[in-house]
């Protein structure tokens, strides 16, 4: 496969990508980009991603080096490299896994990022509203897990990686004792070697 470098920081988007690579069993070298010093806005990093954001996966396929931005594209890249391991191959199960993956990405993680951005601009009320919606959406996961072992059915998928890495950052707001299936699932996920390695990649 050649060598892979994941440029990132200790942020949700980077850790989600790192966890997907680790769960896929794909070796990569983490390379820390200092967001605090603005390294992501300097020329060497902008050559990797002109938008100036992490994560970026650099793929060296021996003859050619190319770069992939967008955490979710990196996750799907990882899934495609190991068919059946992070996304089911059976069409209905694959469609359900995508449904739950996009639930996490567009209904939970996107609004949470927006809440953070508007809070930084002083819109406290808007931020509290969005944060409340994020918590409400996350609590739906309890209903997914009352009938299945994983977020999207009976196999581990990208949706589990999204949910686990995100919930780790927001757990104190969730009152885990009131969502027992989610709590038990979090405990099971925290024992997975790939998730552990991904979450620790930028420590
Ligand atoms: N949609 C992008 C968002 C990437 C993103 O927001 N990265 C943040 C860190 S989590 C970043 O680089 N922020 C620095 C900035 O925007 O100045 C993805 O999923 O990769």
């Amino acid at each position: 496969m050649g060598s892979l470098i994941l440029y990132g920081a200790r942020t949700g988007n980077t850790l989600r990508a790192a966890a997907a690579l680790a769960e896929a069993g794909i070796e990569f070298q983490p390379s820390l980009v200092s967001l605090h010093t603005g390294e992501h806005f300097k020329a060497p990093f902008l050559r990797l991603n002109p938008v100036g954001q992490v994560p970026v996966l650099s793929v060296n396929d021996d003859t050619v080096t190319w770069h992939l931005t967008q955490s979710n594209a990196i996750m799907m890249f990882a899934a495609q490299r190991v068919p059946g391991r992070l996304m089911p191959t059976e069409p209905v199960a694959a469609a359900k896994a995508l449904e739950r993956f996009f639930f996490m990405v567009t209904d939970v993680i996107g609004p949470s990022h927006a809440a953070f951005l508007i809070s930084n601009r002083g819109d406290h009320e808007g931020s509290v509203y969005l944060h409340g919606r994020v918590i409400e959406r996350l609590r739906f996961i309890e209903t997914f897990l009352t009938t299945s072992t994983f977020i999207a059915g009976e196999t581990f998928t990208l949706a589990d990686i999204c949910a686990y890495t995100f919930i780790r950052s927001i757990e104190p707001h969730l009152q885990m004792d009131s969502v027992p299936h989610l709590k038990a699932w979090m405990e099971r996920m925290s024992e997975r070697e790939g998730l552990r390695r991904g979450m620790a990649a930028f420590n």
Side-chain angles (χ1 to χ4, degrees), residues 11 13 16 35 40-41 52-55 70-72 113:
T11 69
N13 288 324
R16 204 159 65 248
L35 301 182
H40 54 309
F41 291 133
Q53 287 188 322
V54 293
Q70 294 295 337
S71 53
N72 305 307
H113 193 215

Side-chain angles (χ1 to χ4, degrees), residues 69 82 117 130 187 191 197 200 203:
T69 69
V82 285
L117 289 178
L130 279 178
E187 282 162 9
E191 283 161 15
R197 274 200 298 122
N203 283 355

Side-chain angles (χ1 to χ4, degrees), residues 96 99-101 103-104 107-108 137-154 159 163 181-182:
K96 286 308 281 185
E99 176 200 80
R100 300 282 158 90
F101 174 62
F103 170 84
M104 282 306 304
D107 295 9
V108 176
R137 290 289 178 269
L138 277 176
R139 296 178 71 80
F140 271 110
I141 295 178
E142 178 71 4
T143 64
F144 303 158
L145 291 169
T146 50
T147 52
S148 61
T149 310
F150 296 97
I151 301 278
E154 291 311 306
H181 293 90
L182 181 56

